Structures are given as structure tokens and as C-alpha cells.
Amino acid sequence: MAFSFGKKEEKRPTTLEQVRKAYDDLSEDDKKTFRQSFEDRIDESVGEQEREDGNEDSQTAKDRIDEAEGAALADAEREETHDDEPPVSEQVVPQAEHADAKQDGEQIEAALAPLREEIAKLSARIDLIERTPQAVDDGLSKKLDSLSNLYNN
């Protein structure tokens, strides 16, 4: 192992730095071509992954990516245009819609009433069954007695 005192080590550029420098040295047309080539490779990769997963779509991968990017832009535009509107909870509901909702609620309550009565009857029967001892046959009675003797002594 050799030590070199007083010598400065050369700092070697990393691969990322070399790629950045090479990209910066490209002309604008070459940069545009490089970006398009890179996007095409991404589209091909997405398409290949979908084929492997069995999720092929009639739409091309590029179209889906463009659609997703367009949806993101549309969402951003929608947020900008709707900032001045009050939240839905603060908007006034027209009286006709309110009346329809009230009528729907009454119809639902009318449909639930017989079900609630049936549930109450079943609940009462279950309570009665739980309080009433049930008779068992002699064979089961002997088995229960032997278990009781086994664990209680």
C-alpha cells in the first residue's frame, strides 16, 4: 500500500456529470430528438409491461400517457377556475330537489318499518329461547353429567 503525501488526487467526473455535460453540449434539435427518443422508449416499456401483465388495451401506451398528462393539466385548470365558487356544502339546494329528497326518505322509512317489526319479534323470540331451559335426551344427559363430574371434582 503506497501513500502519496502532498499529491492531490484528481477528481474524476461521475457518470451522471458526464451525461449532463454531454446533454448540455447537444444542439437544441439534438436535445429535442433525444427527448423524443426517450419518451418513445418509455411508451414501449409501458406497452411491454402491460402485455406481460395481460392488461393490454386498445389504446397505445403513448396515447394513455398523453391522456394522463392531459387529465392532470385539465385538473389543474379546473382547480384554478373553481376557486371562486363556494364549496358544495355552502351552495343553496333548490327547493324542488329538497322536496324530492324528503319524499325519498319517507319511502325508505315506509319500506323499513315492516323489517324493523320483524327484527323486534325475532329478538323477543331469541330472548325467550335463552331463558327457557331445553330438555335433552338420556344419552346426552349422561354425557353432560360425566363431564360435569370430571371438571367439577
Side-chain angles (χ1 to χ4, degrees), residues 65-77:
I65 291 171
D66 292 344
E67 183 178 322
E69 290 171 351
L73 291 174
D75 289 342
E77 289 175 4

Side-chain angles (χ1 to χ4, degrees), residues 42-122:
I42 291 172
D43 295 341
E44 290 169 6
S45 175
V46 169
E48 183 62 32
Q49 288 174 355
E50 289 173 346
R51 277 190 290 282
E52 288 174 2
D53 295 341
N55 294 334
E56 275 190 271
D57 197 345
S58 60
Q59 213 176 13
T60 66
K62 182 179 182 341
D63 291 340
R64 282 192 302 282
I65 291 171
D66 292 344
E67 183 178 322
E69 290 171 351
L73 291 174
D75 289 342
E77 289 175 4
R78 243 183 267 121
E79 285 179 12
E80 290 173 9
T81 59
H82 293 295
D83 286 343
D84 57 339
E85 292 181 11
V88 174
S89 60
E90 295 177 9
Q91 292 178 357
V92 178
V93 178
Q95 198 66 310
E97 288 180 25
H98 187 63
D100 289 342
K102 184 177 179 182
Q103 185 178 8
D104 289 345
E106 290 171 355
Q107 290 174 346
I108 291 171
E109 284 299 318
L112 288 177
L115 294 173
R116 288 189 176 124
E117 289 176 18
E118 184 68 24
I119 290 171
K121 288 178 187 177
L122 291 171

